[in-house]
């Protein structure tokens, strides 16, 4: 009788302990992991490691319980996101974000996506795992100086008048395909040809350093190069041709002072190529007169008293 009572008591205690264990088991993974709400990252084009601010760390109030208090992974959400998140330490929740492929700043300077942390659940099978809220991640792709300056034109040409000093004769211009402000900007230009009376400034404007004379050179040929702010030189230098034009004086040009005419050959154009050189000076009116003279008769061809045969002979 006494033995039977003890057996019933043991069964009841076992049942209670079983229920308590079941309740405790149900309460093992009580909390969700926690991460920051926003992360900012930087990655360089030729590298895969992302430097995050703040660092990627997931916390779980179930720690230090195994599985429930551990972080098993991070999950990235978004379309065609070229990054992955990896857990470095399950117990501390430390992780990193790295690029899965080569990044190109020229194609895309920034990437934005969301990330979640999830714990290891209630056992090795990851049952009943819990996820954190979704955090936003902004990553900037830093540029490397992979491109060199390229000139917009194959050749540059200009014409100057001799004896004159110019503030600017012409401008050369190069561009750079890098995405960053530093590496895409042209910081300087340089005239490679030695001992020429020209100089070039950082904006590409060329001017002469002395008055030019056509007697010395009819044309100068200069080789010019460019450097970006990362000190990359232009992939190809450019040729600049500067022609020297004589000093201009307003006058009639393109005519002969003497014209030979054979009687009986019909009409003859006296000045078919004559033109007025204005030297780019505005002209409001032009007046011209033409006089025909002979040097072997006294009064020219106006001889009404002569016969036609005599006029032909004289004139």
């Amino acid at each position: 009788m006494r033995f039977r009572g003890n057996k019933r008591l043991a069964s009841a205690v076992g049942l209670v302990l079983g229920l308590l264990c079941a309740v405790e088991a149900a309460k093992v993974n009580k909390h969700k992991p926690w991460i920051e709400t926003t992360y900012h990252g930087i990655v360089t084009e030729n590298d895969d490691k992302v430097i995050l601010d703040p660092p990627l760390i997931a916390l779980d109030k179930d720690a230090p319980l195994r599985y429930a208090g551990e972080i098993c992974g991070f999950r990235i959400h978004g379309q065609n996101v070229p990054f992955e998140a990896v857990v470095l330490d399950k117990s501390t929740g430390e992780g990193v974000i790295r690029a899965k492929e080569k990044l190109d700043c020229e194609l895309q300077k920034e990437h934005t996506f969301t990330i979640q942390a999830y714990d290891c659940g209630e056992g090795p099978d990851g049952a009943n795992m819990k996820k954190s809220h979704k955090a936003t991640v902004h990553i900037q792709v830093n540029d490397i100086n992979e491109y060199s300056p390229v000139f917009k034109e194959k050749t540059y040409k200009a014409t100057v008048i001799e004896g004159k000093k110019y503030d600017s004769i012409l401008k050369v211009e190069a561009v750079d395909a890098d995405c960053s402000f530093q590496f895409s900007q042209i910081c300087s230009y340089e005239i490679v040809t030695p001992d020429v009376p020209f100089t070039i400034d950082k904006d590409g404007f060329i001017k002469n350093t002395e008055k030019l004379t056509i007697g010395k050179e009819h044309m100068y040929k200069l080789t010019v190069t460019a450097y970006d702010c990362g000190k990359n030189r232009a992939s190809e230098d450019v040729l600049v041709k500067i022609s020297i034009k004589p000093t201009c004086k307003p006058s009639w040009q393109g005519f002969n002072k003497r014209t030979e005419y054979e009687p009986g050959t019909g009409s003859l154009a006296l000045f078919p190529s004559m033109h007025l050189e204005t030297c780019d000076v505005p002209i409001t009116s032009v007046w011209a007169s033409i006089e025909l003279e002979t040097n072997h008769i006294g009064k020219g061809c106006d001889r009404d008293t002569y016969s036609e045969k005599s006029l032909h002979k004289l004139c």
Side-chain angles (χ1 to χ4, degrees), residues 30-268:
K30 295 188 295 183
H31 301 97
K32 295 180 179 180
W34 179 89
I35 57 177
E36 299 283 351
T37 57
T38 305
Y39 295 88
H40 295 275
I42 297 175
V43 62
T44 305
E45 279 185 318
N46 61 350
D47 197 2
D48 64 346
K49 185 178 180 181
V50 178
I51 301 175
L52 278 182
D53 181 27
L56 182 60
I57 297 176
L59 304 176
D60 197 309
K61 289 185 179 180
D62 291 315
L65 291 178
R66 192 179 182 189
Y67 303 118
E70 296 176 333
I71 303 301
C72 262
F74 295 96
R75 188 164 297 166
I76 288 178
H77 301 273
Q79 292 185 346
N80 302 320
V81 179
F83 297 94
E84 62 181 357
V86 180
V87 176
L88 298 180
D89 191 324
K90 290 184 178 181
S91 60
T92 63
E94 182 183 0
V96 294
I97 294 178
R98 60 193 181 198
K100 298 188 296 183
E101 59 194 52
K102 184 179 179 181
L103 302 173
D104 192 341
C105 176
E106 285 71 41
L107 294 179
Q108 189 169 349
K109 295 182 180 181
E110 296 180 348
H111 297 265
T112 300
F113 52 88
T114 57
I115 190 172
Q116 270 183 308
Y118 57 93
D119 61 26
C120 296
E122 297 175 355
D125 60 350
N128 297 321
M129 69 175 184
K130 293 185 182 295
K131 300 178 183 178
S132 71
H133 61 271
K134 291 182 178 180
T136 302
V137 181
H138 303 283
I139 295 180
Q140 175 184 326
V141 181
N142 275 1
D143 189 24
I144 59 174
N145 197 9
E146 58 190 318
Y147 293 98
S148 298
V150 176
F151 284 96
K152 288 187 173 182
E153 305 289 341
K154 294 293 183 182
T155 305
Y156 291 86
K157 297 179 181 180
T159 300
V160 297
I161 298 175
E162 65 174 342
K164 181 179 178 181
K165 286 190 68 175
Y166 290 80
D167 293 330
S168 174
I169 296 174
L170 79 160
K171 180 183 180 182
V172 299
E173 187 174 2
V175 294
D176 194 299
D178 283 302
C179 73
S180 65
F181 179 81
Q182 177 186 5
F183 298 143
S184 65
Q185 295 299 301
I186 308 301
C187 265
S188 64
Y189 293 89
E190 179 184 338
I191 296 177
V192 180
T193 308
D195 302 324
V196 289
F198 299 94
T199 185
I200 187 169
D201 65 16
K202 64 182 182 63
D203 296 317
F205 288 99
I206 296 176
K207 65 179 181 180
N208 53 322
T209 56
E210 62 185 54
K211 294 180 180 180
L212 307 174
T213 58
I214 197 170
K216 187 176 181 180
E217 288 286 348
H218 286 78
M219 176 187 292
Y220 287 90
K221 294 182 179 180
L222 316 177
T223 300
V224 176
T225 193
Y227 294 88
D228 64 24
C229 294
K231 298 184 179 181
N232 267 5
R233 182 172 172 164
S235 55
E236 290 185 14
D237 299 338
V238 72
L239 178 64
V240 178
K241 296 179 180 180
I242 300 178
S243 301
I244 313 302
K245 186 179 179 181
T247 303
C248 185
K249 296 180 180 179
S251 61
W252 290 101
Q253 297 181 7
F255 68 93
N256 296 323
K257 293 183 178 180
R258 179 180 176 85
T259 300
E260 297 289 342
Y261 176 74
E262 184 178 350
T265 58
S267 61
L268 173 66

